[in-house]
Amino acid sequence: MDKDEGYRKLAAKIRAHAVMMTNLRHSGHLGSSLSEADLLIVLFEKILRLDSKNSDWPKRDRFILSKGHAAAGVYGIMAEKGFFPKDWLKTYYCDDGKLCGHISHHVPGVEFSTGSLGHGLPVALGMALAAKHTGAKHRIFVLMSDGDCNEGSTWEAIMFAAQHKLDNLIAIVDYNKIQALGKAEEIINLEPFAKKLKDFGWAVKEIDGHNFRQIEQALSVIPFEKSRPSFVIAHTVKGKGIGYLENTVASHYRCVEDEKLSATYKELGVEYEDGI
Amino acid sequence: MRTVFNKTLLKIAKKDERIFLVLADIGYGEIEPFAKAFPDRYFNVGVAEQNMTDIACGLAMEGNIAVTYSIANFPTLRCLEQIRNDVCYHNVNVKIVIIGGGLAYGALGVSHQSTEDLAIMRALPDMVVVAPADFTEAEAATYAMVKHPGPVYYRCGYKKEPRLHKGKIDFKIGKAIQARAGGDITLIGTGTITYRVYQAAELLVKDGIQARVLSMHTVKPIDKEAILKAADETRGIITVEEHNIIGGLGGAVAEVLAEGGVGVPFKRIGLPDTYVHIVGSHDWLLDRFGFSPESIAQVAKNLLKCRQ
């Protein structure tokens, strides 16, 4: 078996969970959960030092999902990793459910609630400063979206992180290049993205965010450069894994309709009889 | 008052290693002793209030007590969503301190007038709202703020405000302090305007009116007991606040009175629901907008007349 086979199978499962969850109550943001899925797999399988049975473990890495709307993807991997029962996934968006549409710290193992963009990176700065202050060795990871990088507060944080040499901080942008109303380049063009970030004092890596080898290699040694915060621009595809949704603005809003469910699971390569 | 606050915070920080001070490039002449004493617990984030608030939140998420500090609306309205979603929703130990509430920076213009802060801050779940009246309260409020687990909004004066309390005080969050005894009418103030309320009460003596003066240094949680007691024991209640007439101290007291089922003559004194674009010093503007002791006393006399 090819060594990425395990990753691939888990990624398909996470995507299937997201399809099921968003289909349940016809909620949105599926495309964002699909684009981040491969990044999440490597993070939770290989990179993040977490303990699902002791989610408050002080030495844990801190992981903040700043693109809080892509909660379905994170809930899927967290359920698979045993932070909470898989049954909870079926309660996403439901009355008296366990999981709301934007990520919530009321869910075991979730570090921070977000939902409005531009909050994750600034909060991570405070956590990074606190770790530096005590000499703690854990790292602070923030998974962001391209929309996140429209927010002024994100750029306030980008400037501060470099100024204070926060090399225990890692920002990853799930750069799927489509935001709520269209293509990022036609709304707020982030390019030349890597150059901007380097000019702002960050150590930057650009990778294919669906290539497990590249993701793993990029994140295996942190910091990328001593005394600099690390930034990963992960080129991804919005709606990745479901052909008709890929690279569409609609994937930000629409779920997979009932009649397309079984074909979608087939396309993802998972057997998904009862949803779990 | 800001000097009292800064000195007290420094004193507390010497004993409590959890205290961090996070600034957005404001505090000249005041914050230097803290910065010098604790360079590793002091951060000037630059002119970036959203970042200031969220850095404080991140520090507090890790078990620290983080104080943000700036003037007027900068650490509140500029970063209101960070206060709501991050500080209050996660119920962390962030203390938001503003210098110069109300019209304190009057002549600088509307951008520097903090005249909606009490209403907005008190609408946030888990937020405690304090506005000390004088130096004695300011010092005690600083200790109380640090001791309270969770978010606190602290509206601080910026100059040498007159002393309201003659002796020692018993400062407890959520408990009004009686600054003057009286059984005819109750005047309730919050923040530094309370001294003018006290002066109004002294003026009323020559009209044979003994006014009770309450320093409602905590607008949230409001001291319901003191309000209902005043409604029961005196013949009228007037609130005085350097704030928009809507939603602040007067609003909070009105809520208590309405739900308490007590029918007592009641009047709010505050700023009209408009922006104060008239140029003038703090004291001049206060007089101009009906906060002179004479004006407050007149409102009290009118209220009691209505009752007769």
Side-chain angles (χ1 to χ4, degrees):
Chain A
M1 187 173 81
D2 146 10
K3 62 181 176 180
D4 285 344
E5 190 58 22
Y7 280 160
R8 257 195 292 274
K9 277 190 171 167
L10 189 54
K13 211 179 227 182
I14 299 312
R15 289 194 166 94
H17 285 328
V19 167
M20 177 275 288
M21 291 161 76
T22 46
N23 166 271
L24 266 180
R25 289 290 179 276
H26 299 274
S27 60
H29 304 132
L30 175 60
S32 313
S33 288
L34 297 176
S35 66
E36 72 180 358
D38 299 317
L39 294 163
L40 291 173
I41 299 305
V42 178
L43 279 166
F44 278 81
E45 283 288 278
K46 187 83 177 176
I47 306 297
L48 295 172
R49 298 168 191 151
L50 300 170
D51 180 355
S52 61
K53 302 295 168 229
N54 181 16
S55 54
D56 291 335
W57 177 42
K59 292 182 179 175
R60 72 191 182 280
D61 286 333
R62 275 53 169 173
F63 171 74
I64 297 177
L65 178 72
S66 189
K67 42 177 289 183
H69 57 282
V74 175
Y75 289 149
I77 185 72
M78 290 186 78
E80 289 293 336
K81 298 298 287 182
F83 283 91
F84 52 84
K86 282 193 207 175
D87 287 358
W88 287 20
L89 298 179
K90 287 181 178 171
T91 74
Y92 181 73
Y93 253 83
C94 295
D95 295 344
D96 203 26
K98 295 279 191 188
L99 307 173
C100 62
H102 289 83
I103 199 142
S104 164
H105 67 289
H106 290 286
V107 175
V110 173
E111 198 71 51
F112 202 76
S113 296
T114 59
S116 175
L117 295 177
H119 288 239
L121 195 60
V123 170
L125 298 180
M127 293 179 173
L129 286 172
K132 288 272 179 195
H133 183 69
T134 58
K137 298 294 176 211
H138 61 262
R139 296 90 44 94
I140 294 86
F141 290 79
V142 186
L143 181 56
M144 303 160 69
S145 65
D146 25 26
D148 242 328
C149 296
N150 289 182
E151 293 280 3
S153 54
T154 295
W155 291 93
E156 291 178 7
I158 285 172
M159 289 191 281
F160 182 93
Q163 177 82 23
H164 289 266
K165 301 181 170 55
L166 295 177
D167 59 6
N168 55 353
L169 176 67
I170 304 94
I172 304 165
V173 168
D174 172 13
Y175 194 22
N176 62 35
K177 303 169 196 68
I178 291 177
Q179 49 191 99
L181 286 183
K183 290 182 180 171
E185 66 175 343
E186 290 168 4
I187 296 165
I188 288 291
N189 191 0
L190 295 169
E191 296 299 338
F193 200 13
K195 182 179 182 312
K196 280 179 191 164
L197 294 162
K198 283 177 194 164
D199 287 348
F200 274 71
W202 286 58
V204 184
K205 288 185 182 178
E206 249 179 302
I207 60 166
D208 173 351
H210 299 303
N211 181 314
F212 297 120
R213 288 300 103 215
Q214 286 190 29
I215 302 167
E216 203 179 297
Q217 275 166 17
L219 295 172
S220 58
V221 181
I222 290 164
F224 301 162
E225 284 179 44
K226 195 173 172 353
S227 302
R228 284 185 195 278
S230 306
F231 207 107
V232 177
I233 298 174
H235 293 276
T236 57
V237 174
K238 189 139 183 162
K240 175 75 176 175
I242 303 175
Y244 77 95
L245 284 179
E246 285 189 358
N247 278 320
T248 62
V249 176
S251 74
H252 196 73
Y253 303 95
R254 300 209 180 113
C255 63
V256 173
E257 300 299 332
D258 292 348
E259 59 274 18
K260 288 184 177 163
L261 266 184
S262 59
T264 300
Y265 292 139
K266 200 173 171 190
E267 184 180 357
L268 290 170
V270 292
E271 286 177 20
Y272 213 72
E273 290 301 316
D274 62 350
I276 300 291
Chain B
M1 186 184 288
R2 62 183 171 179
T3 307
V4 171
F5 166 78
N6 278 291
K7 282 184 176 169
T8 310
L9 185 71
L10 180 61
K11 208 191 268 184
I12 299 170
K14 281 179 181 164
K15 290 185 180 167
D16 191 337
E17 292 185 352
R18 298 171 302 162
I19 309 278
F20 283 72
L21 181 59
V22 189
L23 303 181
D25 216 27
I26 291 285
Y28 180 75
E30 294 290 337
I31 53 79
E32 292 81 357
F34 191 106
K36 206 175 160 192
F38 306 110
D40 58 336
R41 290 195 270 145
Y42 161 82
F43 298 104
N44 177 6
V45 309
V47 188
E49 291 78 12
Q50 297 177 80
N51 207 27
M52 170 178 74
T53 304
D54 270 351
I55 286 174
C57 178
L59 284 163
M61 290 290 294
E62 298 294 329
N64 300 297
I65 299 171
V67 178
T68 63
Y69 175 101
S70 192
I71 57 177
N73 299 315
F74 303 168
T76 52
L77 303 193
R78 180 62 182 243
C79 45
L80 183 57
E81 194 184 71
Q82 280 76 12
I83 296 173
R84 178 188 182 270
N85 293 10
D86 304 333
V87 172
C88 289
Y89 181 38
H90 294 83
N91 196 14
V92 289
N93 246 327
V94 171
K95 318 299 178 185
I96 298 150
V97 180
I98 72 150
I99 304 304
L103 301 175
Y105 289 109
L108 289 179
V110 169
S111 64
H112 283 57
Q113 295 164 2
S114 182
T115 48
E116 304 87 21
D117 54 332
L118 300 175
I120 293 169
M121 289 295 112
R122 91 179 175 95
L124 297 170
D126 288 323
M127 180 68 88
V128 163
V129 178
V130 297
D134 69 356
F135 287 10
T136 312
E137 284 193 15
E139 184 183 8
T142 309
Y143 280 100
M145 169 187 92
V146 170
K147 202 174 165 194
H148 174 81
V152 176
Y153 171 63
Y154 181 120
R155 186 200 236 212
C156 187
Y158 89 116
K159 57 181 180 182
K160 197 171 177 183
E161 289 84 3
R163 185 173 191 143
L164 175 68
H165 302 291
K166 303 290 177 279
K168 283 189 174 177
I169 56 166
D170 181 17
F171 187 100
K172 285 194 184 81
I173 284 176
K175 281 290 174 202
I177 299 173
Q178 184 171 293
R180 190 182 188 285
D184 295 322
I185 191 166
T186 302
L187 311 179
I188 306 176
T190 191
T192 55
I193 200 74
T194 312
Y195 185 73
R196 285 173 172 246
V197 177
Y198 179 84
Q199 287 178 308
E202 292 291 301
L203 290 177
L204 287 168
V205 174
K206 69 173 187 301
D207 295 292
I209 299 167
Q210 287 298 336
R212 177 179 302 181
V213 176
L214 294 179
S215 171
M216 195 65 78
H217 52 71
T218 310
V219 177
K220 183 190 171 186
I222 195 89
D223 187 349
K224 290 180 186 170
E225 197 184 339
I227 296 166
L228 293 175
K229 191 163 179 269
D232 185 46
E233 294 175 355
T234 66
R235 291 181 285 128
I237 291 180
I238 294 172
T239 57
V240 186
E241 62 195 307
E242 211 176 320
H243 185 273
N244 188 311
I245 194 75
I246 295 170
L249 172 73
V253 172
E255 289 160 15
V256 173
L257 291 174
E259 290 190 341
V262 286
V264 64
F266 173 66
K267 180 81 183 161
R268 296 170 298 155
I269 298 176
L271 290 163
D273 184 25
T274 183
Y275 292 103
V276 177
H277 65 273
I278 300 163
V279 184
S281 67
H282 188 196
D283 282 335
W284 185 85
L285 285 171
L286 287 178
D287 289 345
R288 175 79 172 65
F289 280 93
F291 294 101
S292 69
E294 293 76 13
S295 299
I296 297 169
Q298 191 57 52
V299 174
K301 282 186 272 184
N302 292 347
L303 192 72
L304 286 175
K305 251 184 237 162
C306 287
R307 174 72 184 232
Q308 282 158 2

